[in-house]
Amino acid sequence: MTGSIVILLGAPGAGKGTQAKRLCDSTGLVHVSTGDLFRENQSKGTPLGLEAKGYMEKGQLVPDDLVLRMLFDRVSRPDTRRGYVLDGFPRTEPQAEALTKALEAQGAAKPMVVQLDLDDDLIVERAAGRLICAACGHIQHLKFSPPKRAGVCDVCGGELRQRKDDQPDVVRERLAVYHRQTAPLVAYYERQGVLERVDGSLEPDDVFAQLVELVRPSLVRGEN
Ligand code: AP5
Ligand code: MG
């Protein structure tokens, strides 16, 4: 693992996936989403996917050992050599510690960490209306980025679906888990002096503009 590493932190529905995709399209970094990796494993019916399924459907975290194995396997592939954007990882202090140690062992630079700030009410609204393309993974929203044709992806014409864990009771559980287990990582990275924040409640273009302003200079200088 070398190159620039950007970590997007934020609650479920904060816009990590939306922004990570845009950032990767514009910088050439590779998008690594642990949630997407688990969903891919589930659709292929792998043992890892089956093991993760029960936790995800209840809105709970998948155990650290499974997450870490999958993550380090993914970021050791050659396509990540020039850097990657982590979306949905780390989510617990042991995960953050494991990543810090792995990066130190490789002599890699510290990651740049960006927290997407957002109120809980907006998070529930975003999750409730989210639509994901089953073919290309493009993310839309019933209210905030409505499809031109109902149920059809604007990008590739694939079928738009809702995620099982976007039902209101599961979203509430995911939020509670976030506040309990993941929110402390903001202080963890603040202590390391690598935390930046953006206002995640703005329009996607405005969130992206803030993000690029933070990340680009480090990429250009090759510091991260
Ligand atoms: P994961 O897939 O990572 O889900 P999450 O963190 O809950 O985050 P989401 O994908 O729900 O939200 P997002 O921030 O990506 O928002 P998005 O861009 O889609 O994880 C799922 C599950 O997998 C976990 O619950 C856990 O079980 C397991 N898991 C994954 N990683 C793990 C780990 N490291 N450890 C343990 N378990 C793990 O946006 C949401 C919606 O809002 C979309 O409809 C979008 O169009 C819309 N939107 C986005 N930005 C804006 C904006 N600026 N204005 C208006 N609408 C917007
Ligand atoms: Mg996501």
Side-chain angles (χ1 to χ4, degrees):
M1 291 190 291
T2 51
S4 306
I5 299 164
V6 178
I7 297 176
L8 292 184
L9 285 182
K16 302 181 297 294
T18 302
Q19 297 298 331
K21 265 180 196 279
R22 292 183 65 161
L23 189 60
C24 291
D25 286 348
S26 81
T27 59
L29 296 175
V30 171
H31 182 193
V32 177
S33 156
T34 41
D36 288 352
L37 289 170
F38 281 127
R39 283 183 287 276
E40 266 167 48
N41 273 279
Q42 274 161 39
S43 59
K44 288 181 191 151
T46 70
L48 177 69
L50 293 176
E51 212 168 329
K53 193 170 188 245
Y55 297 99
M56 291 175 75
E57 286 182 353
K58 286 193 216 116
Q60 291 162 1
L61 294 186
V62 177
D64 288 337
D65 57 333
L66 291 185
V67 179
L68 288 169
R69 213 176 336 130
M70 178 182 74
L71 187 273
F72 287 125
D73 174 62
R74 177 65 190 90
V75 299
S76 65
R77 288 193 222 149
D79 64 337
T80 60
R81 225 180 23 233
R82 291 185 55 209
Y84 50 90
V85 177
L86 289 173
D87 156 13
F89 179 93
R91 254 180 159 92
T92 63
E93 291 216 22
Q95 290 180 20
E97 266 303 303
L99 179 66
T100 300
K101 287 206 176 101
L103 295 178
E104 278 170 7
Q106 288 158 21
K110 284 190 174 178
M112 167 174 278
V113 184
V114 183
Q115 162 78 2
L116 301 179
D117 286 319
L118 204 68
D119 284 347
D120 285 3
D121 291 347
L122 194 49
I123 282 170
V124 174
E125 194 181 3
R126 283 198 186 168
R130 171 167 47 193
L131 300 166
I132 298 181
C133 176
C136 76
H138 179 61
I139 305 169
Q140 297 201 218
H141 193 279
L142 277 171
K143 180 171 159 192
F144 302 126
S145 54
K148 293 188 183 102
R149 276 177 57 208
V152 179
C153 173
D154 283 356
V155 171
C156 78
E159 184 197 344
L160 289 172
R161 292 189 188 154
Q162 287 203 288
R163 253 169 56 178
K164 274 197 182 152
D165 60 351
D166 277 344
Q167 286 147 12
D169 53 333
V170 184
V171 173
R172 276 191 289 277
E173 174 63 14
R174 283 163 58 204
L175 259 179
V177 166
Y178 168 77
H179 286 298
R180 204 164 53 235
Q181 293 183 266
T182 307
L185 296 186
V186 171
Y188 174 90
Y189 284 116
E190 235 159 15
R191 284 195 297 276
Q192 293 196 2
V194 292
L195 187 87
E196 302 283 354
R197 290 172 180 272
V198 302
D199 180 352
S201 70
L202 305 175
E203 291 290 316
D205 285 351
D206 297 328
V207 178
F208 187 62
Q210 295 175 67
L211 187 59
V212 164
E213 201 171 314
L214 289 171
V215 170
R216 267 253 168 80
S218 321
L219 295 180
V220 172
R221 291 198 305 271
E223 279 181 4
N224 270 287

